Amino acid sequence: MCINNLEPWILKLSVSGKVNKHKPWIETSYHGVITENMDTVLLDPPLVALDKDSPLPFAGEICAFKVFGQDAPFEAVVLNRTSGEGVLRASSPVDCESQKEYTFIIQAYDCGAGPDGADWKKSHKAVVHVQVDDVNEFSPVFRESLYKASVTEGKIYDSILQVEAWDQDCSPQYSQICNYEIVTPGTPFAIDRNGNIRNTERLSFDKQQSFRIMVSAFDCGQKRTEDDVMVHIEVKPVCKPGWQGWNKRVDYEPGTGSKQLFPKMHLETCGGPLSGVKAMVELQTNHIGKGCDRETYSEKSLQKLCGAASGSTDLLPAPSPSANWTASLLTDSGRESDLIYRFDGHQGANVPDHVVPQNLTDQFTIATWMKHGPSPGLRAEKETLLCSSDKTEMNRHHYSLYVHNCRLVFLLRRDFTQIDTFRPAEFHWKLDQICDKEWHYYVINVEFPAVTLFVDGVTYEPYLVTDDWPIHASKIDTQLTVGACWQGGEVETPRYTQYFHGSLSGLTIRPGRIETQKVISCLQACKEGLDINSLESLAKDIKFHFNPAQSVLVVEGEDVDSINTAMTKVSYINSRQFPTPGLRRLRITTTVQCFGEDACLSIPENKAVVMVLPPSEPRITISGSNQLIRFASDLRSPLGVALFKDLRITSTVMKGESSVIFSLFFRVMHNLDYCDVLVIGEELNPDRESLEIHHSALLGKHLDATNSTSGISIYGVDSMAHYEQALRQLRYRNWRPTSLNDRKFRLTCSELNGRYTSNEFTLEVTLPHHAAPVEHVNHMAVQPPYMRPVHHPLMIHTLNSHMSAPPAATAVIVVCIAALVVIVVIGIYRIHATHQEASRDDESESKDPEADWESSALNITVNPMEGLGEALKGEHEEEEEEEEDVQLVGAMTIAESDVSDEEEEEKGTEGFDWRKQEGKPEWDSSSATY
């Protein structure tokens, strides 16, 4: 069985198996070189395949070489089948810059046993390494299109700057730059093979300020650059270290936020190696207000704005009929409504007993602004800011705050009724701020027996505390004095003593509680200072810090370029809407450190100024009805009557030159700090009348109110809208109105403690039988409730009445006046005819007892803005409608007189009484305005 199955295989071996016995043989590795952009590879050793079956045909011949390798751009070709010689060549272009070497596998194949190539054999695998030789095909190229440098006259430099070229060729021979050459003839410069340019002679700034030279580069194959490069060398005069490129004056426009002070400034160090630079920028604002630009609201308004607790007493208020004890004190003028009292050592003020807090406990706060300097010759004299002493008989000081030898001392003597042991009584602080002639904010928080001092928001503990016995109880009254101490006993004539030399502002005392750190910081915060823009763009080695008031900025760094970048980011900012205009001085002091030395360069001090331009002053306008006619029953009602139901407060600023007739008015939104409603004529009689505002009207607002027989004052820093809402809820009540003659009130509002004040708006309250025809005053053309520029040519013309109107405007005005006269005449005639007709129809009926005042109080006012608006065709339709609106005040029938004011607000057409009399409508003409 086995022998029979092997017979076919035996026959095959006899025919072909014995012919191709051996595999081809090649070297195990080859190394080749090919020049880029050529196709033939020179191999070592040559590519030859041998076969032991030679010289048999086919079996002993080599038919093919095959290349194995990913992305190998080569192929092997058999040149002689008998000898086995072959050649390796590139199948696609080879680029040295793309790939310098290739490694792949090659095998040889014989031709098999016969012509059909059957039973072929292949050799073992051989590794081929091919290196691509470079061709100098690229010219050198400079890395920069233009080189710049600067030199100082009179110096010889080893290297002014270095130019650098590069070559795209892949081989070191052709890719390296072997030489540079200055091709501009006649220049005092030389260049070495590394590209360093130096001067060959001393340069003179007076002779030539700059040089422009052309430089060429050569690679090691001596291929030259196709485009030479320009080198610009600037000659500078002898170097003087210091800041350059800064302006001595910087104008600041209010409301523009942060403005860069030195956008192009850089430090010239004259080329010396530096290890560090320290620059200090100081903003000097000592002459502005109380040391810097702060809010100039009244002390009460500021405390309300900062969230301070209520109940503080202002011991240095503005002089007024109700606060007259400060009238004799000296004040500093020109401080933008900032109330400052100056004490020259010759005056003091006694605070009235009804003002002095009588309930001081173990907790209270004394706060004040103080500016004080050393007083030569008075070192042993105490200088008293505040003193509570015996009014007569004895000379005991119960509590006082004084300066002694540039030390601040607070004295607090308790009564035996409060304490009967030896306890702390005098607290001493020794601080540089007390006598530096600068403004500082002092707050003394008393939590007996502990007393803490805050100066500009920083806490200081007393360095010395002395104890004393408490004061024996007595029935002697005390006197609180500001600027001195009252000595009423133990002398022949009571007098002031221990006078203060310096300036004070905002002296307050709050019994029952102490002030918080947050409120103290808010009350003394500056609204202007230095700033740094784009902190994220500063280098990592830059260090900077501000003082608490942000008036001093220190910048430190190791690299001059980093310092230069940081200084260009320094800016000035003023967050006040209406800042104090004027100069702010800047001073820059710089210290430069070199390696191993404390200070190697002396940088001169730089001085500049920031000019804060005057802000556009707002024009605050109060408008509404000037006459309020109400029945006696309304005045007697529990709620009384609302005085300012249709009140409007607006503020505008003018943009443009005042000499231009058509200027732009912009409505602006800002705060107010008080509105006063004063009684004109006799003061209110508490027995029969009152002026009041309910506490609920002030809830949710930063507002408070004080009331007296002379009027009411609403104060606090808040928006105009909130003031409108509060004033509209102000009510007048008179429970004996029969004796009422015309009662008049004057309303004025203020921003920044009187720096900007409104017009004086007068309101007259009358009974119907007292009403007299009055002309309604159009205080201001009503503007839309959103901010936008609008033209008011008539207003501008009124403000500049000295200007002559152009001929076209004159003609328009004449036409408008003529039309106005015609309208008035026609209107009077028609109304007269209507009343004649109505009187004939009512002869048979009983006469209305109120008919006399209804007809006699008829008031017709023609708004001239209507005619001018039609002529110029420049006003919007909604403005024309507002000007034509009928303003009705107090037009009520007897039956309607019992309706409360709240119900009147809900009715939109209550001004008209559409009573039908024989088919003819009749309206209440007592206050109709056309």
Side-chain angles (χ1 to χ4, degrees), residues 521-553:
S521 300
C522 174
L523 290 172
Q524 60 90 34
C526 284
K527 295 299 182 180
E528 65 178 339
L530 300 173
D531 194 13
I532 290 185
N533 293 333
S534 305
L535 292 176
E536 65 277 359
S537 64
L538 297 181
K540 294 182 178 180
D541 65 318
I542 291 295
K543 299 177 182 178
F544 66 91
H545 60 271
F546 293 92
N547 67 334
Q550 285 193 224
S551 60
V552 177
L553 167 64

Side-chain angles (χ1 to χ4, degrees), residues 7 131 137 148 199 270 296 440 454 524 585 664 781 853:
E7 288 179 357
Q131 180 179 345
E137 57 184 327
K148 292 182 178 181
N199 57 322
C270 300
T296 56
H440 300 285
F454 292 84
Q524 60 90 34
R585 301 189 183 279
L664 289 177
W853 70 264

Side-chain angles (χ1 to χ4, degrees), residues 362-411:
D362 288 344
Q363 283 192 342
F364 60 93
T365 299
I366 298 176
T368 185
W369 286 95
M370 182 178 74
K371 180 180 181 181
H372 181 266
S375 302
L378 299 174
R379 295 186 60 82
E381 183 74 16
K382 295 180 179 179
E383 301 178 58
T384 302
L385 288 75
L386 180 68
C387 178
S388 176
S389 59
D390 289 331
K391 186 176 291 187
T392 58
E393 300 182 27
M394 302 181 72
N395 186 30
R396 300 176 302 174
H397 294 184
H398 296 261
Y399 63 89
S400 66
L401 180 64
Y402 61 90
V403 176
H404 188 209
N405 293 337
C406 289
R407 290 164 174 80
L408 187 67
V409 182
F410 177 63
L411 169 69

Side-chain angles (χ1 to χ4, degrees), residues 294-557:
R294 293 182 170 92
E295 296 294 4
T296 56
Y297 296 115
S298 66
E299 198 63 29
K300 279 191 175 181
S301 296
L302 277 177
Q303 290 178 357
K304 190 81 173 177
L305 183 64
C306 290
S310 59
S312 67
T313 301
D314 190 356
L315 302 180
L316 285 175
S320 65
S322 60
N324 57 2
W325 70 89
T326 59
S328 62
L329 299 180
L330 300 176
T331 59
D332 277 356
S333 59
R335 296 289 184 177
E336 296 293 342
S337 303
D338 208 356
L339 187 60
I340 295 174
Y341 289 95
R342 181 166 52 87
F343 296 85
D344 59 1
H346 297 287
Q347 76 269 81
N350 286 340
V351 182
D353 293 339
H354 70 274
V355 177
V356 178
Q358 302 296 329
N359 57 341
L360 289 185
T361 61
D362 288 344
Q363 283 192 342
F364 60 93
T365 299
I366 298 176
T368 185
W369 286 95
M370 182 178 74
K371 180 180 181 181
H372 181 266
S375 302
L378 299 174
R379 295 186 60 82
E381 183 74 16
K382 295 180 179 179
E383 301 178 58
T384 302
L385 288 75
L386 180 68
C387 178
S388 176
S389 59
D390 289 331
K391 186 176 291 187
T392 58
E393 300 182 27
M394 302 181 72
N395 186 30
R396 300 176 302 174
H397 294 184
H398 296 261
Y399 63 89
S400 66
L401 180 64
Y402 61 90
V403 176
H404 188 209
N405 293 337
C406 289
R407 290 164 174 80
L408 187 67
V409 182
F410 177 63
L411 169 69
L412 179 61
R413 302 280 304 277
R414 313 310 299 268
D415 293 340
F416 259 111
T417 57
Q418 298 173 313
I419 194 170
D420 58 357
T421 58
F422 204 59
R423 298 302 296 271
E426 276 191 342
F427 304 83
H428 300 249
W429 293 272
K430 184 179 180 181
L431 304 172
D432 295 335
Q433 296 93 318
I434 297 172
C435 286
D436 64 358
K437 297 182 180 180
E438 304 291 346
W439 279 105
H440 300 285
Y441 188 56
Y442 299 82
V443 178
I444 295 178
N445 274 347
V446 178
E447 285 185 293
F448 193 80
V451 177
T452 305
L453 171 68
F454 292 84
V455 181
D456 298 331
V458 181
T459 307
Y460 296 93
E461 297 296 332
Y463 80 95
L464 175 65
V465 179
T466 59
D467 296 344
D468 203 348
W469 289 101
I471 296 176
H472 290 280
S474 69
K475 296 182 179 181
I476 302 175
D477 294 332
T478 59
Q479 176 63 60
L480 183 62
T481 310
V482 177
C485 198
W486 179 255
Q487 187 173 0
E490 302 179 359
V491 291
E492 293 182 2
T493 304
R495 59 185 174 87
Y496 290 120
T497 185
Q498 301 178 6
Y499 288 103
F500 178 69
H501 297 76
S503 297
L504 297 176
S505 178
L507 177 59
T508 61
I509 184 168
R510 175 184 286 107
R513 61 192 309 168
I514 62 173
E515 205 58 272
T516 64
Q517 175 82 48
K518 181 179 179 181
V519 172
I520 294 172
S521 300
C522 174
L523 290 172
Q524 60 90 34
C526 284
K527 295 299 182 180
E528 65 178 339
L530 300 173
D531 194 13
I532 290 185
N533 293 333
S534 305
L535 292 176
E536 65 277 359
S537 64
L538 297 181
K540 294 182 178 180
D541 65 318
I542 291 295
K543 299 177 182 178
F544 66 91
H545 60 271
F546 293 92
N547 67 334
Q550 285 193 224
S551 60
V552 177
L553 167 64
V554 178
V555 182
E556 298 181 71

Side-chain angles (χ1 to χ4, degrees), residues 745-888:
F745 301 93
R746 179 186 297 120
L747 170 62
T748 57
C749 293
S750 157
E751 163 68 335
L752 296 177
N753 202 21
R755 180 177 172 185
Y756 304 115
T757 55
S758 69
N759 60 308
E760 292 185 351
F761 178 79
T762 303
L763 174 68
E764 180 181 2
V765 180
T766 62
L767 295 176
H769 62 278
H770 291 149
V774 293
E775 182 178 357
H776 175 73
V777 180
N778 185 9
H779 293 279
M780 178 180 180
V782 179
Q783 298 182 4
Y786 46 85
M787 290 176 59
R788 62 181 177 87
V790 293
H791 290 280
H792 287 295
L794 182 61
M795 181 182 297
I796 302 302
H797 181 69
T798 304
L799 294 174
N800 301 278
S801 56
H802 61 278
M803 298 170 48
S804 59
T810 303
V812 170
I813 293 172
V814 171
V815 172
C816 291
I817 293 174
L820 182 66
V821 172
V822 172
I823 293 171
V824 171
V825 172
I826 294 175
I828 292 175
Y829 174 77
R830 293 186 62 183
I831 293 172
H832 177 71
T834 301
H835 278 273
Q836 290 292 333
E837 204 171 333
S839 62
R840 289 194 300 268
D841 292 339
D842 294 337
E843 284 179 356
S844 59
E845 300 178 5
S846 60
K847 187 175 181 180
D848 188 345
E850 299 294 335
D852 290 338
W853 70 264
E854 285 188 2
S855 58
S856 63
L858 180 63
N859 176 29
I860 302 173
T861 301
V862 179
N863 191 347
M865 290 294 291
E866 295 177 10
L868 184 58
E870 293 174 1
L872 296 178
K873 297 181 179 179
E875 297 293 329
H876 296 289
E877 292 180 2
E878 62 269 25
E879 294 175 337
E880 294 175 352
E881 291 174 1
E882 287 178 2
E883 292 166 353
E884 294 170 1
D885 280 346
V886 178
Q887 300 186 8
L888 302 175

